[in-house]
Amino acid sequence: MTASQPVRSDSLFRHTLAERRIALVAWRLLTLQVAHPVVAAGMGDWSTYRAHPWRRVQHTMDSGRRLFFHDRDALRREVVRLERTHRRIRGTDPAGRAYTAEDPEVRIWVLVTLYEALTALRALSDDPFTPAELDRLYTEFRDVCGEFGLPDELWPATAADVPGYMDRTIRERLEDSPEFRYMLSGVLRAAPRPGRLWFVGPSWPVLRVLIARMVTTLTVADLPPALRERFGLRSGRGAALLSWAVHRGARHVMTRLPHRWRFRLPVTAATPAATRSRGSRRTRRRDTRPVRLDTFFRQVLDQTGDGFIGVADLRAMAHNVCWPLELSDEREAEVHAAFDIWWRHLEETMDTDGDGRIGREEFVAAAMAGVDRDPDHLAKGLHVAVRAMFRAADTDGGGHLCADEYRTLFGGSRVHPAELNQGFRELDADGDGRITEEEFVHAFTDYFTARTATAPGTHMFGRP
């Protein structure tokens, strides 16, 4: 289904999932998922959602579109993508238990909570599904999930079995944890301003506290009673009144709105113009590398947002390169291996105290010293990763990137599309609408070595 097509009226599951008011139970869905100890461990060890919560939300929305709002081929490609990503997520949790994201029981829990969120939305709105509608909803849901190839015996057999499945899992498998508590009440209090809310400006720190308080109160009120009881979460009369007013009010308002306002249809791209003109940018004689490298560290390298870069940050970067691309296992492994080489080079040349991490000032100073001292400095690490990025993004193997492939690599809420387009045009020196691998590598070289902001590569991510 494309952005111009309406939600299919013959699919109750799609129809319900596409309603904008599904956002009212989104945080409830996320906290239920994170309450599973394997999900919590995986997020704690592998996810960068603490530093980049909106990017994580966007990834989830993109994946949901491909799973539930496109054709069967797109669904199958997304299942392969998710399996490839989850294959790397494994480790040992804080209690010393081995975990893997490939555990079918865990994957079924994550999927069933999505179905349960749709039924909860209707129940909280005082408009529950009828038994016949629940059967239809669950049949459509299982039809999609059948592409995952998970064991039938682990699924609730029918819609009528889902409440019992939820209750048993809550009582027998879910665990209170720091990740659960942070998802419930902490992440929104620390979240950076979303690009779409550029207009709130400096009021965001105050606004996000108010939003976090309301979302937390609503989420606790809406969570299954068994989970509130098990985790000791209190929900008073005020919270119950908030839930009653929000859900019933949203139902009465949204169901009366025009179709285009009621439903959140899949879209291909849209990030509002968060960037404003900064006036004249005169070329200065001073060395502009420190500003660019500082920006690169904060906005690109420091994926975990802790003020340092380490192997986890480079691992997350490789993941984010692969995420929007449909790569084979071999191609994805090449990207991860290239980023491992880059990290080892960074560690060897910048981690002076051997603690396995590099600070921002340390990075800026060492990067400048490295390129000034050694002409092959970038070729030993950065260029390896850059070439792997290029080859991964060059989906047709033509030896060049077009504008769409370039935007797929570097697009996102941080950079305005106009700046990405301008960066692409500056790198496309001959104006043929494509960038070769050597032009791509040269652009990164410019970004790290040019002393003024006049070199084309200094604008490849937008202007710092």
Side-chain angles (χ1 to χ4, degrees):
M1 188 173 74
T2 66
S4 62
Q5 293 175 312
V7 178
R8 280 178 45 186
S9 59
D10 63 339
S11 173
L12 180 61
F13 180 78
R14 286 183 174 182
H15 186 278
T16 309
L17 185 60
E19 284 207 64
R20 291 187 185 277
R21 60 193 177 110
I22 194 68
L24 296 177
V25 292
W27 223 255
R28 176 188 182 277
L29 167 65
L30 292 174
T31 53
L32 272 174
Q33 292 177 346
V34 177
H36 196 292
V38 172
V39 178
M43 291 189 68
D45 290 346
W46 292 82
S47 177
T48 59
Y49 80 99
R50 289 177 178 258
H52 303 282
W54 307 124
R55 183 177 67 193
R56 184 66 186 84
V57 169
Q58 188 62 52
H59 281 185
T60 301
M61 292 176 62
D62 291 343
S63 183
R65 289 190 191 100
R66 290 188 286 259
L67 287 174
F68 303 115
F69 291 96
H70 288 275
D71 59 25
R72 187 67 61 169
D73 286 341
L75 163 63
R76 289 167 179 160
R77 290 196 300 270
E78 182 60 17
V79 169
V80 171
R81 183 204 309 272
L82 291 171
E83 290 176 344
R84 188 175 63 239
T85 299
H86 290 153
R87 196 172 299 137
R88 299 178 181 276
I89 301 176
R90 58 180 65 244
T92 304
D93 71 10
R97 298 170 297 192
Y99 72 84
T100 171
E102 293 185 289
D103 186 337
E105 177 255 326
V106 179
R107 298 176 71 189
I108 289 174
W109 167 253
V110 170
L111 290 167
V112 171
T113 54
L114 174 60
Y115 163 83
E116 191 270 347
L118 303 186
T119 65
L121 175 67
R122 289 282 295 266
L124 290 165
S125 302
D126 196 29
D127 182 30
F129 288 112
T130 66
E133 288 175 328
L134 286 173
D135 288 339
R136 176 182 170 189
L137 188 77
Y138 192 63
T139 298
E140 294 174 356
F141 166 73
R142 283 296 310 274
D143 178 61
V144 173
C145 294
E147 294 294 340
F148 285 90
L150 298 168
D152 283 340
E153 62 271 16
L154 297 182
W155 290 90
T158 68
D161 295 310
V162 172
Y165 165 85
M166 294 292 298
D167 189 72
R168 285 193 306 276
T169 305
I170 288 171
R171 297 184 184 281
E172 298 173 7
R173 293 289 291 126
L174 302 194
E175 297 178 5
D176 200 348
S177 69
E179 297 297 332
F180 170 82
R181 294 286 171 166
Y182 189 76
M183 178 60 72
L184 177 64
S185 61
V187 65
L188 287 175
R189 293 179 182 273
R193 174 178 52 80
R196 295 178 183 230
L197 297 184
W198 58 267
F199 53 88
V200 304
S203 65
W204 173 248
V206 176
L207 184 61
R208 69 183 174 187
V209 172
L210 299 177
I211 293 173
R213 183 176 300 173
M214 186 176 74
V215 171
T216 300
T217 302
L218 180 66
T219 301
V220 172
D222 292 348
L223 283 169
L227 187 136
R228 292 205 306 267
E229 176 186 351
R230 185 150 187 254
F231 287 12
L233 299 172
R234 297 182 178 180
S235 179
R237 290 184 178 179
L241 180 60
L242 174 67
S243 176
W244 184 90
V246 166
H247 289 291
R248 285 165 177 76
R251 175 169 68 89
H252 286 295
V253 171
M254 296 299 291
T255 54
R256 288 168 170 78
L257 291 178
H259 188 282
R260 65 183 183 277
W261 293 349
R262 179 180 175 184
F263 293 99
R264 177 186 53 81
L265 298 180
V267 294
T268 55
T271 302
T275 306
R276 290 289 179 263
S277 174
R278 298 173 183 171
S280 175
R281 290 182 171 91
R282 296 177 181 173
T283 301
R284 300 177 180 178
R285 293 182 181 276
R286 68 181 179 86
D287 192 341
T288 59
R289 288 180 299 171
V291 176
R292 286 198 305 277
L293 293 173
D294 182 272
T295 300
F296 190 77
F297 181 96
R298 289 183 291 103
Q299 298 185 352
V300 180
L301 286 176
D302 185 13
Q303 294 283 309
T304 56
D306 62 356
F308 296 89
I309 54 174
V311 65
D313 297 281
L314 274 293
R315 179 191 294 161
M317 287 180 66
H319 168 77
N320 286 317
V321 168
C322 296
W323 175 260
L325 305 172
E326 296 179 4
L327 304 177
S328 65
D329 289 344
E330 292 77 14
R331 295 292 296 278
E332 183 167 303
E334 289 173 6
V335 174
H336 280 270
F339 275 78
D340 285 343
I341 291 173
W342 185 17
W343 164 245
R344 289 196 294 272
H345 183 247
L346 291 173
E347 189 176 30
E348 291 171 1
T349 57
M350 299 182 182
D351 183 17
T352 55
D353 56 6
D355 64 350
R357 62 181 192 171
I358 301 163
R360 180 164 51 88
E361 294 181 358
E362 189 177 15
F363 169 78
V364 173
M368 292 175 61
V371 297
D372 288 342
R373 180 181 63 252
D374 180 5
D376 295 326
H377 177 78
L378 297 180
K380 298 173 182 176
L382 174 68
H383 287 181
V384 177
V386 168
R387 292 185 185 278
M389 288 169 56
F390 180 94
R391 291 163 187 166
D394 179 17
T395 54
D396 60 3
H400 61 265
L401 299 185
C402 65
D404 286 343
E405 291 169 329
Y406 181 86
R407 284 191 291 266
T408 298
L409 266 183
F410 298 129
S413 60
R414 186 188 69 80
V415 184
H416 190 276
E419 291 202 345
L420 278 175
N421 293 339
Q422 179 62 25
F424 179 85
R425 285 193 295 268
E426 290 185 1
L427 299 188
D428 180 19
D430 58 5
D432 65 351
R434 57 188 190 177
I435 299 171
T436 67
E437 182 173 340
E438 293 311 313
E439 287 174 329
F440 190 67
V441 173
H442 186 70
F444 274 90
T445 303
D446 279 350
Y447 194 90
F448 274 73
T449 62
R451 293 178 179 271
T452 68
T454 57
T458 59
H459 304 151
M460 65 185 307
F461 304 117
R463 299 176 187 269

